[in-house]
Structure formats: structure tokens, C-alpha cells
Amino acid sequence: MIQDMRLIELKGVCKNFGDTQVLHDVDLYIRKCEFITLLGPSGCGKTTLLRIIGGFEMPSSGEVLFEGKDMTGIPPYKRRINTVFQKYALFNHLNVYDNIAFGLNLKTPEQLGVQTKKEKKEEIARRVNRMLKLVKMEGYEKRSTNALSGGQQQRIAIARALVNEPEVLLLDEPLGALDLKLRKEMQLELKAMQQQLGITFIYVTHDQEEALTMSDTIAVMNGGRIQQIGDPKGIYDEPKNAFVADFIGESNIVDGVMLQDDLVKFRDTEFQCVDEGFDTNEPVDVVIRPEDIMIVGEDVGMLSGTVESVIFKGVHYEMMIRDEIGGEGQGMLWKVHSTTMQPVGTRVGMTIVPYNIHIMHKAKTADAEPVSETGDKEA
Amino acid sequence: MVRNKRASKALKGTYLALVLAFLYIPIVVMIALSFNKSVSRAEWTGFTFDWYAKLFQSKQIMAALRVTLEVAVVATAVSTVIGTLGAIGMHAMNTGMANVLVNLSYLPMTTPDIVTGVSLMLMFVFAKVPLSKWTMIMAHIAFDTPYVLFSVMPKLRQMNPNLYEAALDLGCSPMKALGKVIVPEISPGIVTGALLAFTMSLDDFVISYFTSNTDQNLAMIVYSAARRGVEPTMYALSTLMFVAIMALLLLVNRRSGLENM
Amino acid sequence: MKRSWYASPYALWMVLFTVVPLLFVCYYAFTDAAGAFTTANFTKIAQPMYLLVLWDSLRLAVYCTALCLLIGYPTAYFLASRDFSRAQSLVVLILVPMWMNFLLRTYAMMTLLEDNGVLNTLLRSIGLPGFKLIGTEGAVLLGMVYNYLPFMVLPIYTVLKKMDYSVIEAAEDLGCSPIRVVSRVVLPMSIPGVVSGITMVFMPAVTTFSISRLMSSGMVYLVGDMIEDYFISMNNRNVGSSISLVMLVLIILSIGFLRKVDPDNQGGGLW
């Protein structure tokens, strides 16, 4: 179970590479046994943040605390953190067994809780075999790492990190190179491993689905800033700004104006909503998930439109529906997910219930202001 | 159409055969003559190993052989260490600095051998260092090292950059990571570089000629003998050197494939 | 210690044993025997006698490069064509002499061409008059081409081999005759290889000293021989340095020129 203790804490971390600032004043804390995912598009700074936690990069300013103690200057080999690298980084000159035993071999017998060299060897064998079992790779000890498939290499990389019994495991897009089916399997296995071992996982990915499946907590990043932190459901249902809404799942994002509490106007139409606390007539972003738009009879909807395309997506149909605001053919295209198909050219009505309309403050600059603070964390 | 193709293939084949003949006839003739009883190049009077025997009895040639091997071994050892460390260092550098060093490494490769030779000679003479096998070794290290560097660099570039970090992550100090992970990973490049350096060293004449006075290597012996006129012992020596270089090259080739030569 | 420091012994060695010696060449070129500054060394080598040697060297090097290109290009092209199933071994065969000591190669060539050598003996034995080759410019040229031909073949072959063969098929498909395929497609695409081949042949050819000395028994006198004489037999290092410096500048200029033709250095030479 996640404990309420702050294991790792980042305070005002900034990172510059030459003239480009890749991290802006990041505050974040990570609790013991938490599975936290840093999620964002490539170049958002998530990997840099991970590398700072791992000790491979120094923050340009700010602090990294581990159990309340500053560890900014401590090199990676002195941290109780291990990493699973994006492309596995297995040592090709060593076989599977020696790869996993690599970190243990560097330790003294005392550090492994035994006295003699012989006992150390036995202890290492015991731990390596336990790991092989955990990652379901028993019997591969003597294999060369070159002879393994991508998925198998990944398992060895995970075993090699976990065998050192780190308090925190960092994973940098570890499943990125695997095919879809294998990725899904590994997601579940990783999650199970994390729960079984009870250690903290910090996971980096750009795959929102992966993040939603595995994480206790998600930190959505963009432009070197944390945009929102929360549990998966909270992030999905209540995105704090248009970027998060768009990045987590698909969204229709519309310019709107807040007329008063619980009333918003967009597409020349007034809608009931459940958002309060905005200024009167404040311009806002309105976010509506494709599955939250209901298709109704052509004249009973809040908006009317014509179906322009239909794609079958396996469990639902994705339809692009152009509304009629601004004259014929000038309207905006809405992405709608529905289990019933409407043929192209059909005129339909669209209805949205108030709690499915998400109102967000307009981002002030292009690279979105941080809307969320660390204190927002729930769960 | 088919006939056309066959004709063109035959033509190409003939052309290549002629080029090969041009390249190999002199070598084959020389090897043959090294087994010829007669001193004359003009007639074949019977098979003999006499010239080889003479070769091994010659104090001068045996001394030169020793010098050649000593220089090649020492120069290869030193340049392999310096070159490998250099490649690792340059790999960790920012591009600007590394570019300066890469260009510096091209310098001995683009400077004509004779200029390299005389420039080193000038420096040694100026510093009043006697020209011996030691100055020859220093010169050889200078032209061998870039070959090691350029054999190791591609291996470093191909290497997953996370390997080093993975070693640190698993508890290696930077020094240990170098020995336990990086060097084994790039060892094919190091071995190829060392073999190349050794070959270059064995093969060198021009630079050795200008940087050594008291000690002569085999190539220098061949040169002075050739200036006096042709003699069969030299055929025997040439044949042996040819075979030695071939054997080394086969070794290098087997390791790196032709494309990396 | 930062890892970039590992390069320091290398940098030190390269500076000490390549850059500093070249500075010595400059220093000696601009001083007299007593060490005083002078430009007399250069005015001396500007005399016709010296310029003629330089001219001969350039001329022979250009001939040699041209011949190597003429013989080497078709060789590389045929090797890279898909007609030969064992092309790889053929390539190795052609390149092997490149790694053989050039003195040995020259020595072998001498044996063949001497007045009483294999070739002349063969000719005389079938009743033909022998001919004198050693001692002529032709012999030097032959020795140079023999030595440097593989250096021309290798880079051209490398570039041609890397070339996408479907490009040739596309050209044929678009109606190019075989000759046009070569002139319009293959040749332009192989320029980088040609450039690096030219560099690799011209450079050693223009500075050779032993080949000319051995193949002409001293009758053909080139810049390399002159440098050797000034350093070894005449012990006049100042004039020798000034000649070396002129050579070096010439080489650097020609490499600079060739780099302009092939800015990406795609031919790559040996590397």
C-alpha cells in the first residue's frame, strides 16, 4: 500500500541545456510504494526529470530530497535507486546470469549479509534465481543477451535492476520497443511486480493509455512544467487545462465564454454546466470528450450537424460531425464516439449533459502555465 | 539480350583479370625468384632455400628484424592505450572540442609521410635526442594512434549510451564502469585498431627512415639493398615480409570485414 | 575526474609529435644555419633548377593520378556491378597489394623491368629486342601506378557499392542506354569516391622519393628525392625544410580544393 511518507521530494527543480530550459521550477513529491507516471509528449522534460532523480543529470537549480535528505550531489552508484533504460542497456559481453548478478558482484559479502566469498556466491545465485523466477525467465541463465527477443531483454533489464533491492525503480519508457500485445502483458506484469515487491516505481511514458492502466498517480508534463498531478480517474475526468484534456484521451476543445456560474456559451449556444468561480464573461476553453456527446434526433439536440465521416474503431464508431454555426460547411468538426452508426450525410442532433462539459481557464501563454500544484494530489 | 550480357560479362572479367595480372605478376615473380638457385633473374636453375638460409645468417638482417618487431610491439602497445583512452575521452566531450581533436588526428594522415618524417627528425635533432629506435618508436606511436582512435570511435558511437549509466546505476564507480562495461563493449574496435597499428608499424619505411639513424628496420634494409642493386636475399626477405603482412591483414579482415578496412 | 580528460594523453602526444614538429619545419624554413631569420631558403628554391624538379613531380603525379583513374574506375565499376558472384574475394585480391610495403612492390617491379630482368630476358629469348625501361620516366610512372592503383579503386568501389542499384534500373527503365546510365547516373553519383581516390593517389605520388630513385636508378629526380638529399646527404635542413613547407602547403591547398568538390567527404577514403 502507498504510505503517506514522502520518499522523494523535488523542490523548484530547473534544468538548462545550454540556452534551452527543459525544466521550469518543478515541485513534486513521491510517496513510498507509489507507482507514479511522468506522462507527456516527447521533449516535455519527463526523461530529464527521471534522469535527475536517478542522478545522471544535475539540476541547474533546486533540490532533490531523499527521505528528507538532500541528494543533489550524490552520484548514481551511491543512490538506492535503480533504472530500467529505454533500450535495456544490457551488457552484451555478459550472459543473462552475469547481467543480473552485475550489481551484486560489486557488493562486499557483508553488504549481502554473509561472511565469506563462497557464501556471497551462493547468496548471489539465490537472489538471481529468485529474480529470474519473478520475471519468468528461468532456464535462460547461460544465454547470451544478443539471443533474446525484445520482451525477454526487457525482463532481464528489469531483473538486473530489481535484484539490487532498490527503494525506487526508475523506468524510462521501458515498453516502447515492444509490440502492442506484449506491451499490454508487460504492463500488467509490471504493475503486479510493483505491488508484490512493495517498492516505488517512477515510470516515464508518452502513452496515455499505459499511464492510465498502471499508475497510482500521474504527473502530466508539457513544456518542462508539470501540468497536472492526480490519480488516473481524476486526470481523465477533470483535466485542469486544455493541454491535459487533449493529451489524456481525445477531446473536442472549443472556445467559450462563461456567462455566469454553471452557464457557459459556445458555438452560439448556451449550455448548463457544473463549473463555478469564473469571472463573468471570462473566455474559457470548453473540453468535451467524444464519448460524452450523445446523438439524438436531428431537431431535438442542442446542436445540429451533418456526419462527414465514419470510422469503425473496434468497439465504437468514430464520427466527424460538422455543426451548422457560421453557415453551411463553415461549422466546426466534432469528434463523436458512439456505438450506433449514422451514415455519412445524415443530419443529426447532438446533446451534452452538464457534468460532461469541462470548463478550463484559457492558457495564458503558448507553453501553458502550470495550473496544478503539488498540493492537489488526491487519493 | 542474353548474349549481350554474357559478352559484357566476359569483357569485364577479362579486364579485371588483366588488372590482377598487372598487380600480381611482379609479386609472384619475386616470390619465385626467392627460390631460384641462380643469382641471375634471367634463368631458372633449380629450387633452393639457400637465400632464406643466408637471410637468417645475416647479422644485419636479424638485427633489423629485432628492431622492427620491438618498435612495432612497443608502439602498438602505447598507441592502443593512448588511442583507446583518447576515443573514450573524445566521446565524452562536447562536439566543439571533439572536432578540434578529430581534425588534429587527421593531420598525420593528411601530411605526406616524408614531411612527417623530416619534421620529427628536425624536432629530435633540435632537442638533441639521438636518432635511434626510441625516436622511431615515438614517431610510430604518433602515426599509429589515430588508427586506433578511428577504430574505437565507431564502436563507442554504436554503443548504447545508457550502458555506462546502467553500470553506474548498478553500483560501479566511473573507473569500474570503464573497465567492466565500456572496454569489454568496445574491445572488437580496440583489437582491430591494435592490429592495424601493428601492421602500419611493420610496414613503415619513410617515417622510420628519417627518425632513426643507428637502428634500421627491415624496410630500411630493403631500401638500401635496392639502391645497391637487386639481390636474391632481398627476394627472400620480401617474400617473408609479404607473407607476414598478409597473415596480419587476414586477421584484421576476419575481425572487421572489408568495409572497415 | 571527468571522462573527457582521458583524451589528454592522446591530445598531448598528437600536439607534441605532429603539431610541434610541423612548427619546427616552419622555423627551419625561415632561418639560416646560424638560426637567424631569413627568406633566402625560399629564394633559393625559386630558381629554375628547383622549380623544374617541382614541375616534374607535379607532372608525374598528375599523369599517375590520371592513369590510376583511367584504369581504376572501370575496375571499381566492374567489381561493384552484380555480374560476379565472388566479387568480394576479387576486391580483397585487388586491395591486398595496397597493404604490402611499397618498397617490396617497387622492388618486385624493378626485378621485372631491369635491363637484364625477367621481361627483357623473356623478350630476347623469343628473338625480340629488349628495351630499356629502368632509368626512364616511364618506369617511374609505371612504378607509381603499380603502387597507387589500389588506392584509387577502393574509395570508388566503396561509393559505387553503397549506391542503390535500383537507381541504375530506374535509369534504364526511363530509357537510358547503358552508356548514358554511366554518364548521367553512375558517374555523377560516384564523384565523392573519385575525389577521395584522387587525393589518396596524388598526395603520396607527388611526394614520393624512393620509387623514383629505385625505378630510374636516380635518373629521374623528384621533390621527394630532393628533400631526402637535403636532409640526409647534404645535411642542409633549412633548405630542406623550405621545400617541405612548400610541398605541405601545396598538398593542403589541393585537399582544400578537393574538399570543395566533395564537401561531405562521402568518399571517406580509408575510413
Side-chain angles (χ1 to χ4, degrees):
Chain A
M1 263 333 290
I2 302 172
Q3 297 164 19
D4 227 7
M5 195 190 119
R6 294 183 177 194
L7 188 65
I8 295 177
E9 200 167 356
L10 280 75
K11 286 185 178 166
V13 166
C14 295
K15 179 69 188 176
N16 299 11
F17 288 117
D19 291 339
T20 41
Q21 189 167 1
V22 292
L23 289 178
H24 300 263
D25 201 21
V26 172
D27 290 320
L28 176 72
Y29 64 82
I30 295 152
R31 289 164 302 178
K32 222 174 168 119
C33 307
E34 186 172 16
F35 193 127
I36 181 170
T37 299
L38 307 177
L39 174 68
S42 58
C44 71
K46 57 189 190 299
T47 295
T48 308
L49 192 59
L50 190 79
R51 288 170 61 80
I52 285 175
I53 299 171
F56 303 116
E57 306 277 358
M58 292 288 154
S60 305
S61 62
E63 282 186 304
V64 182
L65 305 177
F66 192 84
E67 291 177 329
K69 273 175 280 185
D70 186 16
M71 62 167 185
T72 314
I74 297 173
Y77 51 95
K78 291 186 181 151
R79 299 188 181 202
R80 297 208 53 198
I81 294 179
N82 285 111
T83 308
V84 176
F85 293 90
Q86 204 167 4
K87 285 183 193 127
Y88 322 138
L90 294 181
F91 306 130
N92 290 326
H93 63 286
L94 302 175
N95 65 19
V96 167
Y97 182 93
D98 289 330
N99 260 281
I100 300 177
F102 189 90
L104 298 177
N105 278 327
L106 293 164
K107 295 193 166 127
T108 60
E110 290 73 37
Q111 282 171 315
L112 293 175
V114 293
Q115 268 84 47
T116 64
K117 281 202 168 164
K118 188 167 164 282
E119 283 173 328
K120 175 184 164 185
K121 219 174 156 190
E122 287 161 3
E123 174 67 13
I124 289 176
R126 214 172 49 76
R127 293 199 195 185
V128 170
N129 286 326
R130 201 172 57 203
M131 275 306 135
L132 281 166
K133 201 169 173 186
L134 181 75
V135 298
K136 299 177 182 146
M137 292 288 287
E138 292 143 297
Y140 284 84
E141 290 87 345
K142 297 285 170 235
R143 295 280 191 96
S144 150
T145 54
N146 293 313
L148 301 180
S149 71
Q152 291 171 329
Q153 291 193 31
Q154 186 55 266
R155 287 164 194 269
I156 301 305
I158 292 166
R160 186 181 67 176
L162 285 178
V163 78
N164 300 294
E165 298 174 352
E167 291 198 44
V168 181
L169 187 68
L170 309 182
L171 303 103
D172 186 4
E173 308 223 11
L175 308 182
L178 305 182
D179 63 54
L180 186 65
K181 188 163 167 290
L182 200 53
R183 201 155 66 215
K184 299 259 179 201
E185 281 172 30
M186 284 301 289
Q187 285 172 11
L188 298 178
E189 278 187 42
L190 273 175
K191 182 71 189 168
M193 264 182 232
Q194 188 254 342
Q195 281 167 340
Q196 187 188 336
L197 297 167
I199 56 177
T200 308
F201 274 35
I202 306 179
Y203 193 97
V204 159
T205 185
H206 63 265
D207 182 337
Q208 45 107 358
E209 202 192 315
E210 199 165 285
L212 293 171
T213 323
M214 304 168 79
S215 318
D216 299 317
T217 307
I218 296 175
V220 183
M221 292 184 67
N222 188 39
R225 290 188 168 89
I226 292 182
Q227 302 292 331
Q228 186 174 1
I229 297 178
D231 64 289
K233 189 165 164 42
I235 292 228
Y236 189 84
D237 290 342
E238 292 298 329
K240 285 274 159 60
N241 60 33
F243 172 80
V244 176
D246 195 36
F247 194 75
I248 303 277
E250 290 169 288
S251 293
N252 296 287
I253 300 173
V254 198
D255 289 330
V257 176
M258 205 64 188
L259 298 177
Q260 62 185 62
D261 279 355
D262 301 330
L263 188 65
V264 63
K265 182 179 179 184
F266 56 90
R267 304 309 289 159
D268 292 346
T269 313
E270 290 181 13
F271 288 84
Q272 289 292 325
C273 61
V274 291
D275 296 82
E276 298 173 359
F278 290 84
D279 295 339
T280 306
N281 291 328
E282 183 185 330
V284 289
D285 282 324
V286 181
V287 174
I288 299 150
R289 301 278 182 200
E291 66 271 25
D292 290 341
I293 299 173
M294 286 180 295
I295 300 211
V296 293
E298 58 180 294
D299 290 315
V300 296
M302 296 163 160
L303 287 166
S304 302
T306 309
V307 178
E308 290 205 349
S309 71
V310 181
I311 302 167
F312 181 56
K313 288 260 178 151
V315 284
H316 60 255
Y317 293 91
E318 179 173 295
M319 286 170 277
M320 301 305 290
I321 298 174
R322 193 178 292 282
D323 69 28
E324 291 162 354
I325 313 299
E328 197 173 323
Q330 301 299 305
M332 139 180 184
L333 271 176
W334 292 82
K335 185 182 276 182
V336 179
H337 290 172
S338 166
T339 47
T340 49
M341 200 254 302
Q342 305 292 332
V344 171
T346 320
R347 190 158 177 271
V348 295
M350 295 183 281
T351 290
I352 308 150
V353 299
Y355 60 78
N356 281 333
I357 294 175
H358 307 291
I359 311 292
M360 283 155 211
H361 292 282
K362 281 264 182 204
K364 288 190 186 77
T365 52
D367 72 329
E369 286 292 300
V371 174
S372 163
E373 307 301 332
T374 44
D376 288 334
K377 284 221 287 196
E378 299 152 46
Chain B
M1 199 54 198
V2 173
R3 176 175 294 184
N4 223 338
K5 244 197 172 141
R6 211 176 277 164
S8 98
K9 191 178 165 178
L11 206 74
K12 289 176 184 174
T14 316
Y15 185 88
L16 290 179
L18 282 174
V19 171
L20 280 175
F22 172 62
L23 290 173
Y24 279 92
I25 284 177
I27 298 172
V28 171
V29 165
M30 185 186 70
I31 293 175
L33 287 178
S34 76
F35 297 106
N36 186 8
K37 260 199 178 121
S38 159
V39 181
S40 147
R41 266 92 52 211
E43 49 184 346
W44 178 266
T45 53
F47 185 88
T48 179
F49 276 120
D50 284 358
W51 306 120
Y52 289 88
K54 254 194 173 166
L55 193 66
F56 287 103
Q57 283 154 15
S58 159
K59 277 211 179 92
Q60 193 201 15
I61 291 173
M62 285 301 108
L65 176 67
R66 199 173 317 117
V67 169
T68 308
L69 289 176
E70 276 174 11
V71 169
V73 167
V74 177
T76 303
V78 177
S79 54
T80 303
V81 173
I82 298 184
T84 304
L85 285 178
I88 292 169
M90 279 163 74
H91 190 67
M93 264 176 212
N94 59 40
T95 30
M97 256 316 264
N99 268 340
V100 171
L101 273 185
V102 167
N103 283 324
L104 193 64
S105 318
Y106 279 124
L107 193 64
M109 290 173 137
T110 44
T111 312
D113 280 356
I114 191 169
V115 178
T116 307
V118 300
S119 70
L120 283 162
M121 177 189 184
L122 284 176
M123 182 173 78
F124 291 136
V125 167
F126 185 88
K128 302 215 163 44
V129 182
L131 298 178
S132 67
K133 67 180 173 203
W134 296 109
T135 46
M136 204 199 288
I137 286 172
M138 287 188 249
H140 278 224
I141 295 169
F143 73 74
D144 279 346
T145 314
Y147 287 96
V148 178
L149 186 93
F150 286 120
S151 302
V152 174
M153 284 293 264
K155 291 278 173 267
L156 281 168
R157 259 183 249 123
Q158 287 162 17
M159 193 180 75
N160 181 342
N162 290 144
L163 277 183
Y164 177 69
E165 292 177 346
L168 295 184
D169 188 75
L170 295 169
C172 277
S173 64
M175 277 305 247
K176 264 198 179 154
L178 192 70
K180 277 187 169 278
V181 172
I182 296 190
V183 170
E185 194 67 24
I186 60 175
S187 62
I190 299 177
V191 175
T192 306
L195 284 172
L196 264 177
F198 193 70
T199 315
M200 288 291 156
S201 233
L202 281 190
D203 205 34
D204 177 68
F205 162 66
V206 179
I207 295 171
S208 311
Y209 180 68
F210 285 101
T211 49
S212 175
N213 234 343
T214 50
D215 300 302
Q216 287 194 309
N217 69 5
L218 288 173
M220 288 156 79
I221 297 269
V222 174
Y223 181 63
S224 53
R227 288 186 74 171
R228 287 197 303 269
V230 178
E231 62 174 289
T233 359
M234 285 300 113
Y235 295 146
L237 178 60
S238 302
T239 304
L240 289 182
M241 284 172 77
F242 178 67
V243 171
I245 296 276
M246 278 320 97
L248 266 178
L249 276 174
L250 276 179
L251 216 63
V252 177
N253 245 311
R254 187 163 296 166
R255 297 198 61 88
S256 63
L258 183 77
E259 308 305 326
N260 298 336
M261 248 168 90
Chain C
M1 192 169 80
K2 274 183 76 178
R3 265 201 300 162
S4 46
W5 282 100
Y6 292 166
S8 47
Y10 176 75
L12 192 72
W13 198 279
M14 293 318 280
V15 168
L16 194 58
F17 289 95
T18 63
V19 179
V20 172
L22 288 176
L23 295 178
F24 272 102
V25 174
C26 298
Y27 168 76
Y28 274 90
F30 285 103
T31 50
D32 58 24
F37 176 82
T38 177
T39 52
N41 303 321
F42 290 96
T43 42
K44 179 166 181 181
I45 61 169
Q47 290 171 41
M49 193 175 82
Y50 292 85
L51 291 179
L52 204 65
V53 175
L54 184 65
W55 171 244
D56 277 344
S57 302
L58 285 174
R59 199 167 44 87
L60 274 177
V62 169
Y63 291 165
C64 167
T65 311
L67 273 172
C68 283
L69 187 57
L70 218 61
I71 302 170
Y73 197 96
T75 310
Y77 183 58
F78 295 160
L79 282 174
S81 78
R82 300 185 160 182
D83 287 357
F84 302 101
S85 50
R86 304 200 45 112
Q88 196 60 27
S89 345
L90 280 176
V91 175
V92 174
L93 270 182
I94 292 211
L95 298 184
V96 154
M98 188 166 99
W99 292 97
M100 189 181 168
N101 190 300
F102 75 98
L103 280 175
L104 303 187
R105 277 179 282 163
T106 312
Y107 202 80
M109 206 54 171
M110 270 171 75
T111 307
L112 214 57
L113 301 181
E114 269 183 319
D115 297 348
N116 292 315
V118 176
L119 192 66
N120 275 327
T121 314
L122 266 177
L123 288 173
R124 285 195 202 100
S125 70
I126 53 170
L128 290 169
F131 58 94
K132 189 172 174 54
L133 245 177
I134 293 292
T136 65
E137 218 175 79
V140 177
L141 200 55
L142 192 63
M144 283 175 20
V145 171
Y146 179 59
N147 268 299
Y148 301 134
L149 182 60
F151 290 93
M152 184 64 85
V153 177
L154 175 63
I156 299 177
Y157 169 78
T158 311
V159 168
L160 287 176
K161 197 72 200 169
K162 265 192 265 171
M163 195 169 77
D164 187 357
Y165 197 75
S166 55
V167 171
I168 292 175
E169 282 168 351
E172 278 169 354
D173 184 65
L174 294 168
C176 269
S177 65
I179 292 180
R180 279 209 173 161
V181 169
V182 172
S183 67
R184 295 275 173 90
V185 181
V186 179
L187 225 61
M189 288 180 79
S190 60
I191 291 292
V194 172
V195 166
S196 94
I198 290 177
T199 322
M200 285 170 73
V201 171
F202 182 78
M203 235 182 55
V206 80
T207 54
T208 180
F209 72 96
S210 25
I211 295 176
S212 48
R213 184 148 283 177
L214 297 180
M215 294 302 290
S216 76
S217 0
M219 303 297 284
V220 176
Y221 194 67
L222 300 180
V223 167
D225 305 310
M226 196 155 74
I227 295 177
E228 185 203 359
D229 279 344
Y230 270 101
F231 275 93
I232 304 289
S233 21
M234 288 149 73
N235 213 2
N236 185 340
R237 302 199 180 100
N238 303 97
V239 176
S241 296
S242 65
I243 304 170
S244 307
L245 194 59
V246 170
M247 270 330 297
L248 189 61
V249 169
L250 230 126
I251 296 274
I252 287 171
L253 285 181
S254 48
I255 288 177
F257 173 75
L258 283 167
R259 277 268 165 88
K260 261 193 183 156
V261 184
D262 172 28
D264 309 329
N265 193 22
Q266 288 169 22
L270 268 173
W271 302 102

